[in-house]
Amino acid sequence: MKYVNKYLRNFTPYKLASHKIWTVDKFQREKILKLDWNEATIPPSPKVREQIQNLVNEPSFYQLYPSTYNEKLMKLLSEYVGLPKDNIQYFASSDSLHEYIAKLYITVGDPVLLLGPTYDNFRLTAEVCGADIYYFNISEDFQFDKDSFMKKIDEIEPSLIYICNPNNPTGTLHEVDFIKELLETYSQNLFLIDEAYAEFSGVSVKDLVLQYENLLISRTMSKAFALANFRFGYLIASKSNIEYISSIRNPKNITTFAQQAAIGALSDVPYMERYVKEVRKAKNQFIKDLEPYGSILNCVHGDGNFVLVQLNTIAYKQKLIDYLIGYNIFVRDVSQTDFLKRHCIRITIGTCEQMEYVQKVIISFIEEIYNGAYCFS
C-alpha cells in the first residue's frame, strides 16, 4: 500500500505464540500450563497484590496521568541494581524501551547485527526504523565461534549490535569478560545487551556501564519478578545515555498500576530469588529425567528460565506439540532459523511440581512412539 512506510511494505511480522489462555474463562485458565512465552508460572510477591488493592481502594488518581518520576520506585531500582539512579530509567516494558533505543540510535540504512538465533521482536523494531539487518548465528550444534563473530563485526561495521544474554531461545550465555572485550575492541559500535533472563543466569554486565559509553542494557520484570501483565522494563546505561533517551521518552506512559506493582515486587526481592532457585532446580531435574530418551529428543541446557528441546525429526516435533496441547500444556514452536523451525521447541520452566507433570506427559508421548502408537507418514 502506497501510504505505508516504505521500510514496512515487505517486512516479516514478529510471530506470536498461541495465546489461548485469554479465550477461556478463569476456571479453564487454571487448568492450562502456559509454557510458551517464558512468563513466570506463579503469581508475583503478595506485596504486589497489596499495592494494587491499595490503589483500587483509593481511586482518586484514575483521571490523572501517572507520575512521571516515581522517586520511591527509582530508589528501589537503584538499590536492586546496585548502581546510581543516574544510570537507570524505567519504561512501559523492555519492548517499549527497545523502540526508544531504535529511534535514538538507528537511522535509515544503518547496519544492525543480531547475535542469533534470538528474540525476533528486536529485529522488527530495528527494521521499522529503516535498519539493514544482519545475523551471526551460532552453529546447529549450539556452539559459538567468537573469532568468526568478531570478523562479522569487522565486515559489516554495524552501528548497533544486539546480544540477548542469556540468549532466547538457545539459553547461550556470554561471560562478562567477553562482553568487556567487545566493548573495548569495538568502541565505535553500540552494544545492546538484553538481560531479560539475567536473574536466572546470575550473570550481568551492569557494572560496565560506569566504564563504557557504548553499552546499553535492557531489562524486564516480566520474567523472574512475574509482572508480565504490567509491562515494566528498565534501561541501565551511562549517565549521558540515560539523559539522551530520557529526552525523547514519554514519561507518562508507565501506568500507576505498573509503577506500584514494580514497587511491590522490588520490596520483596527474596520472593523472586526463591522462585529463581526453584526454577533452576526444576530445570536441572527436567533435563536429567529426559536424558534417557536421546533417540527422540535432546534438551539444550541453557541459562534462562526455559529449555530448548531438539526433536530428532520434524514429525516428532509437531506430534509432540499437538500431544502436549491435548494435556493443556502450551510450548513455543521456535522458527528463527530453518534448523530451529524443523527440529526445536522451547519450553518455559516452572516449578518442580509443574515440570514433573510436563516430563511425565513427554515420556508418555515417547513411550507411545516406542510402542508404535504413532504412524508418521
Side-chain angles (χ1 to χ4, degrees), residues 182-219:
L182 290 175
L183 295 169
E184 292 180 348
T185 304
Y186 302 100
S187 59
Q188 301 305 309
N189 304 89
L190 183 64
F191 288 82
L192 170 55
I193 309 298
D194 188 336
E195 291 191 346
Y197 305 96
E199 283 83 5
F200 298 99
S201 71
V203 173
S204 174
V205 296
K206 63 183 180 62
D207 294 332
L208 297 183
V209 301
L210 300 177
Q211 300 173 251
Y212 300 97
E213 286 286 336
N214 59 329
L215 172 62
L216 305 173
I217 300 170
S218 64
R219 285 196 178 178

Side-chain angles (χ1 to χ4, degrees), residues 338-351:
D338 289 340
F339 176 75
L340 294 181
K341 189 173 184 178
R342 291 195 305 270
H343 294 283
C344 296
I345 62 174
R346 190 195 68 199
I347 303 177
T348 303
I349 301 296
T351 65

Side-chain angles (χ1 to χ4, degrees), residues 91-148:
F91 293 80
S93 78
S94 60
D95 289 328
S96 175
L97 164 58
H98 290 168
E99 291 172 5
Y100 279 109
I101 288 173
K103 289 177 183 178
L104 185 61
Y105 297 101
I106 297 174
T107 57
V108 173
D110 279 352
V112 170
L113 177 62
L114 280 62
L115 177 50
T118 194
Y119 179 50
D120 189 54
N121 194 58
F122 184 76
R123 180 270 311 166
L124 177 59
T125 298
E127 280 186 336
V128 167
C129 292
D132 294 329
I133 304 297
Y134 296 83
Y135 289 95
F136 178 89
N137 289 325
I138 62 174
S139 64
E140 291 186 357
D141 59 352
F142 307 106
Q143 299 302 307
F144 171 68
D145 187 331
K146 167 187 166 183
D147 293 335
S148 295

Side-chain angles (χ1 to χ4, degrees), residues 287-311:
I287 293 172
K288 182 179 179 181
D289 289 341
L290 293 179
E291 279 179 356
Y293 305 97
S295 62
I296 303 294
L297 55 79
N298 171 54
C299 293
V300 180
H301 195 164
D303 287 274
N305 68 330
F306 53 86
V307 167
L308 188 71
V309 178
Q310 176 186 344
L311 282 299

Side-chain angles (χ1 to χ4, degrees), residues 28-223:
Q28 291 175 293
R29 192 178 305 149
E30 293 171 357
K31 300 176 182 179
I32 292 176
L33 194 49
K34 191 173 184 297
L35 305 178
D36 53 356
W37 277 21
N38 290 344
E39 299 131 312
T41 61
I42 65 170
S45 163
K47 291 191 176 182
V48 172
R49 180 188 290 268
E50 291 174 13
Q51 293 288 334
I52 300 304
Q53 286 177 332
N54 289 338
L55 283 179
V56 172
N57 292 331
E58 298 178 12
S60 59
F61 69 93
Y62 284 4
Q63 73 277 16
L64 305 176
Y65 283 113
S67 169
T68 59
Y69 186 85
N70 192 313
E71 182 64 44
K72 183 176 182 180
L73 177 53
M74 287 299 298
K75 181 176 181 294
L76 287 169
L77 277 172
S78 176
E79 291 172 353
Y80 174 66
V81 173
L83 290 171
K85 289 182 284 186
D86 288 345
N87 295 107
I88 303 166
Q89 184 58 275
Y90 58 86
F91 293 80
S93 78
S94 60
D95 289 328
S96 175
L97 164 58
H98 290 168
E99 291 172 5
Y100 279 109
I101 288 173
K103 289 177 183 178
L104 185 61
Y105 297 101
I106 297 174
T107 57
V108 173
D110 279 352
V112 170
L113 177 62
L114 280 62
L115 177 50
T118 194
Y119 179 50
D120 189 54
N121 194 58
F122 184 76
R123 180 270 311 166
L124 177 59
T125 298
E127 280 186 336
V128 167
C129 292
D132 294 329
I133 304 297
Y134 296 83
Y135 289 95
F136 178 89
N137 289 325
I138 62 174
S139 64
E140 291 186 357
D141 59 352
F142 307 106
Q143 299 302 307
F144 171 68
D145 187 331
K146 167 187 166 183
D147 293 335
S148 295
F149 177 61
M150 296 178 82
K151 286 180 181 177
K152 186 72 172 182
I153 297 175
D154 291 329
E155 174 190 334
I156 69 171
E157 298 180 349
S159 61
L160 187 147
I161 300 155
Y162 175 79
I163 302 174
C164 189
N165 197 44
N167 183 49
N168 169 23
T170 63
T172 307
L173 181 68
H174 301 284
E175 296 296 336
V176 175
D177 287 346
F178 172 61
I179 302 298
K180 185 175 181 179
E181 180 182 357
L182 290 175
L183 295 169
E184 292 180 348
T185 304
Y186 302 100
S187 59
Q188 301 305 309
N189 304 89
L190 183 64
F191 288 82
L192 170 55
I193 309 298
D194 188 336
E195 291 191 346
Y197 305 96
E199 283 83 5
F200 298 99
S201 71
V203 173
S204 174
V205 296
K206 63 183 180 62
D207 294 332
L208 297 183
V209 301
L210 300 177
Q211 300 173 251
Y212 300 97
E213 286 286 336
N214 59 329
L215 172 62
L216 305 173
I217 300 170
S218 64
R219 285 196 178 178
T220 179
M221 294 186 71
S222 295
K223 314 300 182 183

